[in-house]
Every structure is written in structure tokens, then in C-alpha cells.
Amino acid sequence: MTDIEQEFFKEFETKLWKAADKLRSNMDVANYKHVVLGLIFLKYVSDAFEERQNELVELFKKDDDENIYYLPREDYSSTEEYQHAIAEELEIRDYYAEKNVFWVPKTARWDILKEKSVLSLNTVIWQNEQGKDVKLKSVSWLIDNALDEIEKANPKLKGILNRIGQYQLDSEKLIGLINNFSNTRFHHPEFNDKKLNLKSKDILGHVYEYFLGQFALAEGKQGGQYYTPKSIVTLIVEMLEPYKGRVYDPAMGSGGFFVSSDKFIENHANVKHYNASEQKKQISVYGQESNPTTWKLAAMNMAIRGIDFNFGKKNADSFLDDQHPDLRADFVMANPPFNMKEWWHEKLADDPRWKYGTPPKNNANFAWMQHMLHHLAPTGSMALLLANGSMSSNTNNEGKIRKTLVENDIVECMVALPGQLFTNTQIPACICFLTKDKAAKDDKRNRHGEILFIDARNLGFMKDRVLRDFKDEDIQRIADTFHTWQHNWSEDKNEPGFCFSANHATIEKHNFVLTPGRYVGAEAEVDDGIPFDAKMASLTSKLKTQFEESDKLEEQIRKNLAGLGYDI
């Protein structure tokens, strides 16, 4: 992304957020996000539809033998007849479907929404298909009607657009939101009088992701249920490199891992010399989410980006109602809830997923891990975020499960993360990378009996008083270290304080604890060129001087206290 595009996004997103947040008033953020994201979605689909209409008008008028869309002007007796023909042609749905643009019925288009929202209640706004007058009931009804019409016209969206009437936001606030969003456009963007080469989908994707992050911050702990920090998602995707195959997330939240996989393919297309659009067709997305509103958020997140997805027939508990029982995925990625207590049910007692040991009934960390392993293909790779305690705890069978995983050569890499990365918890976390196949293939070396430990706790920066984040170079450093270890590693590449490749014998000596700090050691001191003897003599001299000064200070304090009548 160019610097000017980054500046554009920053200003665009901030402008929209300020407009939305100012109008929030006392409405709960958990509800308000659905109102705002629903309106943003409506604005986007209308802008994308209009963008395609403008392209079609140009194609209809372009006299070119290879242009199948051309409508010759001479075939029509008048300008009015020609314009009418173009208008009719613009209402043919196939023109939009061929470009994966959502069909937007006339009553759901943004201009109509804006025009009708300011009318008085009970004003006739249009006639329905039966020729009956339809009156304006409320602005929220107008918006919900638009969402209804779009869902009816686009089967992919059925059941995923959240209606806003239930939140009882007054009409004036909704009109304010509509007017504010009307001042922004998702197509033909300009910044500082320069036209930008950005599509509607690109802009909406950034805005949607930004708003999810802002809502997560505003909601605090609850917001973390659907949002994983972008930098952590990016790090995992960069390390796993999901180019093709089935991608699965059993605790998907708003679908951040799928979006990052999509971006990963786009960003690496030129480097790998392949066509990004064709490569995306080789990716299949599967997910599951128990929260019904978050399930809809994820589905809408995929829909606006044109990502085909299978999130099951409904929102459901991954342990008790697995929506993809037969799935064996090539890549599994997840950020499940840390240390989840209320998850056990007696019917899970002899579940075939607990291949490496029955997980504790009061903590689901190793249940999530084994659920993911169960769905991992024989040659697949996976990553999940876990609370650090899981890597060292020996209570409630956790130590035995961890030992069994190591002995079965399932663990590939452990990454310790810095604190303050998450909006919803301060619990120290790590990323656990697992695979069922460490054999040499596809230019990867044989990694049997080895585990890479990376301690990234000192990386990143404080982006504000509360939250830490990774820089791009931090992500690249960690990912490059992992890929180097997979392909071409030697002992001299172990870096004290940062990374170490340990064999199983070494891990056994540490009682199968998988905390990276146990293995990477202390960071090596920088050689300043001063010989050890000279440095030691200097330090000893300084220490002697400091002892002498300490004695003098102690004597002075004793005298001062004696003068006050105290003797020590």
C-alpha cells in the first residue's frame, strides 16, 4: 500500500468513526455496532452497484468489435429511446453477477434511502409488486426493508444481515448517520486531488476491519470475543502461509483469520509469480461460532469481500454441536477464549477428539487444541493462541497431554508474545504451532524430534497507553525465523534471548514445559571491544568507589540521627 493510500484510509476511517461515535449517545456499543455496520454495508453495496453501473454505461457506448456490451446509438430512433434502452439494460442482474457485485433492488439503493428517510411518517414512498401504496413507518423500518430486499435478491446473504429495528434508535439519529455516511463514497476515491487506484471492496474491507477494532476497544472484555488484533492474525497467517486448501477456524469471531488469508494471497501474488484471483479459488473457508450476532458479523465480513465460506447451518458450540464433523483441513487457525471454564458436558467424556488425553473439565485450553487437531489433515498445519499457563501447568492432566503431544512429535513451534496485545485480557499469551507431518518435502527439511522456541516478549511498541502492537518488521522477523528453521537450520542460527531449536531430550529435561523462555536463554551481550580483564578491573574499581561513598553516607546519617537524640 502506498503512503498516500495509507493517509487516505486513516482520514477516511477516522471521519466515519467520529460521525458514528458522536451519534451513539447512550446506546450500548454491543448493539450500536450492528446499526453502524449495517448502514456501512448498505452504503457499500449501493456504491459498488453504482460503480458497476457506471462501467456498464461506458461499455454500452463503446464502439468496439470485441465489446459484447455495445448498444449502437443508430438502432434507436431518438436520444430518449436510447437512454431508456440503457436504463433497462442496467437492470439486468447477470451484468452484476458476472463481476460478483451484489444486486441492489431499487428500494434498497442508498439514494432512495437518503431521499425517503427525511419524509414524514405515513408518506407514500413507493408501490409494491402488487401495486399497493407503501407508507413510511419509521427510518429503522426503511433500513430494515432495504436489508430484506438485498437478502431476497442475493441468496449468499440470506440470514446474515442484522436488522436494526430491534435496537429502537430514534429516527433523527439514523438520519444523522445516513447523512454523514452519504458524504463518503466507496468508489472513485480521491485524496489531495489525486485519484486512487482502490476498489469499493478494498475501501470497505479497511473500514469494516477498523470499525471492528474500534468497537472491540469500546466494548472492552466483551469485544475480544469477536476480534483478534490484526497484527497477531497477520503473524499467524504469515507463518502458516495458507496458499491453497481448506482453512478452518472453530472459534472464528468476526472471521479475521479468513480475511488475512485472503490478503496474504494478494500480497504474495507478485513474489510467488501467480495469479491472485486464480489462487483464491483454491482456498475453501470453514468456520464455526457460537454467538449468533458474531456469526452474522463473520458472514457479512466474508460477503463484503467476496470470499466463499461455509460457516455451518447455524451458530453452534464447537464441542457439542460440531458443524463440520467430517472436515479435515489443511490449515487450522484460532483464537479461542482463554481458560474457558464452563464448557464441559458429560457426553464429551469418551469423545474421540481426546486422542492425546482427556482435557480438564474446568479449562478448555487443551480441548480446543485437540478439537483442532481432530480436524487437521494428515499433512496439515495449525496455530492457536493459548494462555501461557497451558505451557507449564501440570495440574488436571495438562502436563500429561503436553508430554504426549511432544512424544508424538506434534508440536512444531512455540512463540511467546508480549503483554498488552489484547483489548480484552492482560493474561500472558503464546502461539502454539502444531503439525502432523514434519517429514522432508516441498523443500522443507526433516524436523522430526525438534521444536523451535521463539521469545517475542521484547518485540513490538506501545501504540497508546494501554495497548501494544507489532511492527511489520517484528512480524517479518518472527516469520522468517520460523521459515528458516523449517527449510535450512543449523546451531549457529540459535539466537540467545530470541530463538532456540530444542530436541525432545532437552525438552524432557525441562519436564515437557513448552515456555520459550526456558530454552532461548538470556540475550547475548553486545561486544564493545574491551578485553574482559580490563572491563573487570574497571567494574571492580567503580564498585569499590561506590562502597566507600555508601560508608560515608551511612556515617553522615548516623550523625544526623544522633543529633536528634536517636542512636542506631
Side-chain angles (χ1 to χ4, degrees), residues 96-288:
Y96 303 88
E98 66 188 12
K99 292 293 183 179
N100 290 318
V101 174
F102 291 117
W103 173 259
V104 184
K106 289 183 178 180
T107 56
R109 294 172 193 173
W110 190 265
D111 288 343
I112 296 294
L113 197 69
K114 182 181 178 184
E115 174 192 335
K116 304 301 184 184
S117 66
V118 296
L119 297 177
S120 301
L121 294 183
N122 297 315
T123 303
V124 175
I125 51 178
W126 57 66
Q127 286 188 327
N128 62 20
E129 294 178 358
Q130 289 74 39
K132 294 182 179 180
D133 290 341
V134 176
K135 296 181 179 180
L136 179 63
K137 299 173 185 177
S138 67
V139 177
S140 60
W141 173 87
L142 186 68
I143 295 168
D144 283 352
N145 179 77
L147 294 169
D148 286 339
E149 293 300 315
I150 289 173
E151 271 201 3
K152 289 176 186 175
N154 301 276
K156 286 183 180 179
L157 298 177
K158 185 177 180 181
I160 71 171
L161 301 182
N162 208 48
R163 306 303 187 266
I164 71 169
Q166 60 185 305
Y167 302 121
Q168 299 180 339
L169 193 62
D170 65 68
S171 291
E172 285 189 12
K173 289 192 180 295
L174 286 172
I175 292 170
L177 273 174
I178 291 169
N179 289 335
N180 274 288
F181 289 171
S182 294
N183 294 328
T184 59
R185 300 193 75 79
F186 286 100
H187 66 93
H188 303 312
E190 291 186 3
F191 187 73
N192 291 341
D193 299 323
K194 291 183 180 179
K195 289 187 176 181
L196 305 180
N197 186 30
L198 292 169
K199 296 290 186 181
S200 302
K201 186 171 69 172
D202 300 323
I203 300 171
L204 177 69
H206 277 270
V207 170
Y208 198 88
E209 192 169 343
Y210 174 79
F211 267 59
L212 284 174
Q214 292 299 105
F215 282 128
L217 283 171
E219 287 185 72
K221 186 173 182 179
Q222 292 301 315
Q225 293 180 355
Y226 61 83
Y227 184 78
T228 303
K230 179 182 175 183
S231 60
I232 299 178
V233 174
T234 302
L235 172 61
I236 289 174
V237 170
E238 286 288 336
M239 292 178 75
L240 284 185
E241 298 185 304
Y243 285 111
K244 61 182 178 179
R246 293 150 299 189
V247 180
Y248 173 56
D249 183 347
M252 67 184 179
S254 57
F257 282 113
F258 304 132
V259 173
S260 283
S261 297
D262 192 62
K263 289 179 182 176
F264 175 82
I265 291 172
E266 290 182 356
N267 294 340
H268 289 69
N270 293 331
V271 177
K272 298 292 182 179
H273 304 293
Y274 58 72
N275 181 283
S277 297
E278 290 301 314
Q279 191 69 28
K280 286 182 183 181
K281 294 176 183 177
Q282 299 183 46
I283 287 283
S284 303
V285 164
Y286 299 83
Q288 185 156 346

Side-chain angles (χ1 to χ4, degrees), residues 1-18 184 190-191 196 198 203 206-207 210-211 214 463:
M1 186 187 301
T2 64
D3 290 341
I4 192 169
E5 287 173 348
Q6 288 180 336
E7 290 179 38
F8 162 76
F9 278 125
K10 185 175 181 180
E11 183 176 297
F12 186 79
E13 291 162 345
T14 303
K15 177 183 176 183
L16 279 177
W17 174 255
K18 284 182 177 178
T184 59
E190 291 186 3
F191 187 73
L196 305 180
L198 292 169
I203 300 171
H206 277 270
V207 170
Y210 174 79
F211 267 59
Q214 292 299 105
K463 67 178 184 179

Side-chain angles (χ1 to χ4, degrees), residues 196-425:
L196 305 180
N197 186 30
L198 292 169
K199 296 290 186 181
S200 302
K201 186 171 69 172
D202 300 323
I203 300 171
L204 177 69
H206 277 270
V207 170
Y208 198 88
E209 192 169 343
Y210 174 79
F211 267 59
L212 284 174
Q214 292 299 105
F215 282 128
L217 283 171
E219 287 185 72
K221 186 173 182 179
Q222 292 301 315
Q225 293 180 355
Y226 61 83
Y227 184 78
T228 303
K230 179 182 175 183
S231 60
I232 299 178
V233 174
T234 302
L235 172 61
I236 289 174
V237 170
E238 286 288 336
M239 292 178 75
L240 284 185
E241 298 185 304
Y243 285 111
K244 61 182 178 179
R246 293 150 299 189
V247 180
Y248 173 56
D249 183 347
M252 67 184 179
S254 57
F257 282 113
F258 304 132
V259 173
S260 283
S261 297
D262 192 62
K263 289 179 182 176
F264 175 82
I265 291 172
E266 290 182 356
N267 294 340
H268 289 69
N270 293 331
V271 177
K272 298 292 182 179
H273 304 293
Y274 58 72
N275 181 283
S277 297
E278 290 301 314
Q279 191 69 28
K280 286 182 183 181
K281 294 176 183 177
Q282 299 183 46
I283 287 283
S284 303
V285 164
Y286 299 83
Q288 185 156 346
E289 171 60 43
S290 60
N291 184 293
T293 54
T294 306
W295 186 85
K296 289 183 178 182
L297 276 180
M300 196 159 77
N301 206 2
M302 300 304 103
I304 62 180
R305 291 173 167 86
I307 300 174
D308 286 330
F309 61 92
N310 181 344
F311 292 166
K313 296 179 180 179
K314 59 181 179 178
N315 59 287
D317 184 299
S318 291
F319 297 129
L320 298 172
D321 189 4
D322 192 345
Q323 293 290 294
H324 309 286
D326 300 321
L327 174 66
R328 297 297 178 266
D330 301 287
F331 301 97
V332 184
M333 301 175 276
N335 174 24
F338 291 172
N339 303 324
M340 183 174 163
K341 297 185 183 303
E342 304 296 329
W343 74 279
W344 180 260
H345 191 282
E346 286 307 315
K347 71 178 185 179
L348 295 172
D350 297 313
D351 197 289
R353 287 173 289 187
W354 316 147
K355 181 178 178 181
Y356 304 97
T358 303
K361 295 180 181 180
N362 63 346
N363 192 316
N365 290 339
F366 281 96
W368 283 112
M369 181 185 288
Q370 294 192 82
H371 173 82
M372 293 167 68
L373 280 168
H374 177 76
H375 283 289
L376 188 65
T379 57
S381 298
M382 62 170 267
L384 79 157
L385 283 148
L386 283 175
N388 271 358
S390 301
M391 297 302 95
S392 58
S393 171
N394 286 312
T395 60
N396 298 321
N397 210 37
E398 289 185 333
K400 290 182 179 178
I401 295 173
R402 204 168 51 247
K403 178 176 182 287
T404 305
L405 289 168
V406 172
E407 290 176 338
N408 279 269
D409 215 6
I410 298 294
V411 185
E412 184 165 34
C413 177
M414 298 298 306
V415 180
L417 297 172
Q420 297 178 266
L421 284 173
F422 298 89
T423 60
N424 61 324
T425 181

